[in-house]
Amino acid sequence: MQIVFAASEGVPYSKTGGLADVVGALPPALVQLGHQVSVFLPRYKQTKLPAESKTVISSLTIPFDDKYRFCSVIDGGTHSGVRHYFIEYPPYFERDALYGTSLGDYRDNAERYAMFSRAVLEACKILGVPDLLHCHDWQTALIPILLRSVYDEDPAFASMGSVFTIHNVGYQGLFPADTLPLLMLPWDLFTIGKLEFFGKVNFLKGALVFADFVTTVSKKYSQEIQTSEYGFGLEGVLKARAATVAGILNGVDYTEWSPDRDRHISCHYSVEDLSGKAECKRELLAVFGLENADPKLPVIGIVSRFAAQKGFDLISQIADRLAAEDMILTVLGTGDKDYEDLFKRLHRMFPQKIAVKVAYDNTLAHKIEAGADMFLMPSHYEPCGLNQIYSLRYGTVPIVRATGGLDDTIEQWDPKSGRGTGFKFGEYTSDALLLAIRAALAAYKDKEGWKKLIRNGMVRDYSWSISAREYVKVYERVKQMKAAVAV
């Protein structure tokens, strides 16, 4: 099958979050299964193109209001079997950040990603129309919308299917109503059954209405977003098409995240030989300036964006009680100033028990995964989550809230049966969080049980090859749907 990915970011060329990791890892896994895959990305200022890159389309005409934009397409070559194309238009993409600044999103984001979406479709008509277009998040939501409106009668796309993946339903691409004529889109899209959303245009909603199939990044999250608590106003749209909505868990790259080969840690170890983890713990304490801390105390690690969505409001409510427990807390992240200040204050109060580094530091993130005994993710909602999966492989026991991908990937520890991989709590309260942490701290005292627990997690397999097979099932289903319509 010929598959084209369209996304606003993808490693190693551009990244702000987990979307980029998916776009970098899933296509090669599909290639390994025998499919032909190309990826379209914007060429940002930060994008470092391969040496063999060349312009393959010098000018694509994209209509805007009473004007036109002219962009080009660069062929970045084939890597890991995946061909990468870049849409180049400096006025839109030659900027210091991908989506906005500290003052907010770029005001012309609708135009930027509308042009990108149209350019992908026009480029496909020249470079080759695939069997299926796989689009990601609101920035490419216009592609399935365009296919069912502006390009609805274009014979080039008659048999092509579309799959749309929601990475976080909270980001929807909301714009004023007059965005439609600006982007040369028909006004009949502005209805409650299509793109209209409380008087605005909602790109994400349009994709959920028009895509042939919708996926999201864990089974539990696909169910949660069909409820008022997690649907961000789109739960009705998702419920209406529940038969063509599926959750497929993100995979992880074990060549990058595995303690037997991790280039960022001081000592390698494996499920067969755990001895190196103690050295990684010593290194972690030293890096955080906790050389004098008691190494027998369990270390809880946090690597996260500091935001209420990640559960930091709960942590703030139990901070003083948490500091009284027999444990050490190492925290890495950036985000809301209130939470940054919270951890700085706690460090001043408990300098040998709580340490924080306010930064984005990939190397240190690896050291926390390897050196901590437990990993804390008390998210209010978490579409998939990756750190809890990394933690399993590193023998670092996750403590998570039972939501989204956290619930799908972590099995509650049962000391009687010896089954389970971590600790979960359901109710989103600080008391429930503290009980889960205390349960983990109590289990840590049973050394033989703890070894069984961490080995249970280390042998779990969440590689991309498994997820890729699930996506192929969706692609084949869409292909059958399109064939049935054609008949």
Side-chain angles (χ1 to χ4, degrees):
M1 194 180 302
Q2 293 183 329
I3 305 157
V4 163
F5 275 57
S8 59
E9 57 184 81
V11 296
Y13 304 106
S14 51
K15 178 178 177 178
T16 66
L19 165 62
D21 294 316
V22 174
V23 174
L26 177 54
L30 293 168
V31 169
Q32 289 296 312
L33 296 177
H35 302 279
Q36 297 179 342
V37 187
S38 299
V39 176
F40 279 85
L41 299 167
R43 184 190 180 179
Y44 296 107
K45 181 179 181 179
Q46 301 84 353
T47 303
K48 295 181 180 179
L49 295 179
E52 66 271 25
S53 299
K54 59 182 179 181
T55 299
V56 289
I57 302 176
S58 58
S59 181
L60 283 176
T61 303
I62 308 298
F64 274 92
D65 200 7
D66 59 347
K67 299 175 285 293
Y68 292 93
R69 305 286 188 272
F70 301 95
C71 61
S72 57
V73 181
I74 299 172
D75 183 346
T78 301
H79 305 276
S80 300
V82 180
R83 184 169 293 277
H84 284 82
Y85 293 105
F86 300 90
I87 303 301
E88 184 175 53
Y89 187 71
Y92 280 166
F93 301 122
E94 190 76 12
R95 301 182 183 182
D96 291 336
L98 271 59
Y99 308 123
T101 68
S102 59
L103 300 177
D105 292 344
Y106 293 128
R107 297 179 68 178
D108 59 352
N109 272 350
E111 297 172 58
R112 297 172 74 221
Y113 292 104
M115 190 206 67
F116 174 72
S117 296
R118 284 211 183 198
V120 170
L121 290 171
E122 292 296 333
C124 284
K125 291 170 71 172
I126 297 171
L127 300 171
V129 176
D131 297 303
L132 184 136
L133 250 169
H134 189 162
C135 309
H136 299 261
D137 273 354
W138 75 261
Q139 292 89 348
T140 57
L142 270 182
I143 291 178
I145 297 168
L146 288 164
L147 286 171
R148 294 284 296 276
S149 56
V150 176
Y151 292 86
D152 191 40
E153 297 183 5
D154 192 323
F157 299 120
S159 61
M160 185 182 73
S162 64
V163 171
F164 183 80
T165 295
I166 309 166
H167 294 264
N168 189 329
V169 76
Y171 300 98
Q172 300 183 358
L174 289 170
F175 301 100
D178 58 10
T179 300
L180 286 177
L182 174 66
L183 304 183
M184 301 294 286
L185 293 170
W187 271 114
D188 63 11
L189 290 173
F190 195 67
T191 68
I192 194 169
K194 296 178 181 177
L195 273 67
E196 192 273 335
F197 188 78
F198 297 99
K200 292 187 176 182
V201 170
N202 188 321
F203 282 13
L204 183 65
K205 178 182 178 181
L208 301 186
V209 171
F210 290 122
D212 293 316
F213 207 99
V214 175
T215 71
T216 191
V217 291
S218 70
K219 182 177 180 181
K220 181 68 175 286
Y221 191 60
S222 72
Q223 298 164 350
E224 289 177 336
I225 59 178
Q226 296 181 49
T227 68
S228 58
E229 183 178 1
Y230 297 100
F232 285 83
L234 296 179
E235 59 274 6
V237 181
L238 288 157
K239 273 186 180 180
R241 61 168 311 169
T244 48
V245 175
I248 300 175
L249 193 71
N250 283 344
V252 300
D253 183 357
Y254 287 125
T255 63
E256 175 71 16
W257 293 93
S258 191
D260 60 344
R261 68 189 73 178
D262 192 328
R263 67 185 188 277
H264 299 291
I265 62 178
S266 60
C267 189
H268 290 159
Y269 60 95
S270 66
V271 67
E272 293 83 13
D273 181 6
L274 293 168
S275 58
K277 189 166 177 63
E279 173 55 35
C280 291
K281 184 174 181 177
R282 283 190 288 270
E283 181 194 29
L284 176 63
L285 293 174
V287 168
F288 273 91
L290 299 172
E291 297 93 338
N292 297 324
D294 184 353
K296 294 180 182 179
L297 290 177
V299 173
I300 300 177
I302 295 175
V303 178
S304 179
R305 176 169 51 88
F306 293 161
Q309 182 237 314
K310 297 296 184 179
F312 285 95
D313 55 332
L314 299 186
I315 294 175
S316 67
Q317 294 169 31
I318 62 167
D320 294 338
R321 285 182 286 169
L322 188 58
E325 299 290 333
D326 289 332
M327 60 93 216
I328 297 169
L329 188 64
T330 57
V331 183
L332 172 66
T334 62
D336 292 355
K337 187 175 184 300
D338 287 347
Y339 297 128
E340 292 180 359
D341 291 343
L342 167 69
F343 286 113
K344 291 176 181 177
R345 176 178 64 81
L346 289 171
H347 176 62
R348 289 193 299 269
M349 295 173 63
F350 309 98
Q352 288 302 305
K353 292 195 68 177
I354 299 178
V356 61
K357 288 190 180 292
V358 178
Y360 171 81
D361 188 325
N362 183 56
T363 296
L364 186 52
H366 282 253
K367 293 183 187 300
I368 290 174
E369 289 289 4
D373 298 294
M374 307 164 196
F375 196 94
L376 185 58
M377 293 182 71
S379 303
H380 182 224
Y381 70 93
E382 194 68 57
C384 177
L386 292 176
N387 279 102
Q388 84 280 10
I389 304 178
Y390 301 154
S391 297
L392 292 176
R393 181 54 61 99
Y394 282 79
T396 301
V397 176
I399 306 169
V400 304
R401 178 161 179 266
T403 183
L406 301 179
D407 197 22
D408 285 347
T409 53
I410 305 304
E411 180 185 354
Q412 176 66 36
W413 167 245
D414 178 7
K416 292 183 179 179
S417 66
R419 297 182 60 182
T421 58
F423 297 85
K424 298 194 286 190
F425 66 101
E427 187 179 1
Y428 191 71
T429 65
S430 57
D431 287 340
L433 167 59
L434 188 58
L435 283 174
I437 294 172
R438 284 173 172 168
L441 295 176
Y444 182 78
K445 296 176 182 178
D446 176 8
K447 296 305 178 186
E448 289 306 311
W450 192 259
K451 286 181 182 178
K452 171 64 175 172
L453 169 57
I454 65 177
R455 287 193 166 107
N456 287 351
M458 292 182 77
V459 298
R460 292 292 175 94
D461 185 3
Y462 292 102
S463 59
W464 270 110
S465 60
I466 297 171
S467 302
R469 289 184 176 89
E470 293 301 310
Y471 275 107
V472 170
K473 291 179 184 177
V474 170
Y475 299 159
E476 290 174 344
R477 183 174 170 184
V478 170
K479 193 173 181 180
Q480 291 169 1
M481 290 163 55
K482 299 299 287 187
V485 171
V487 173

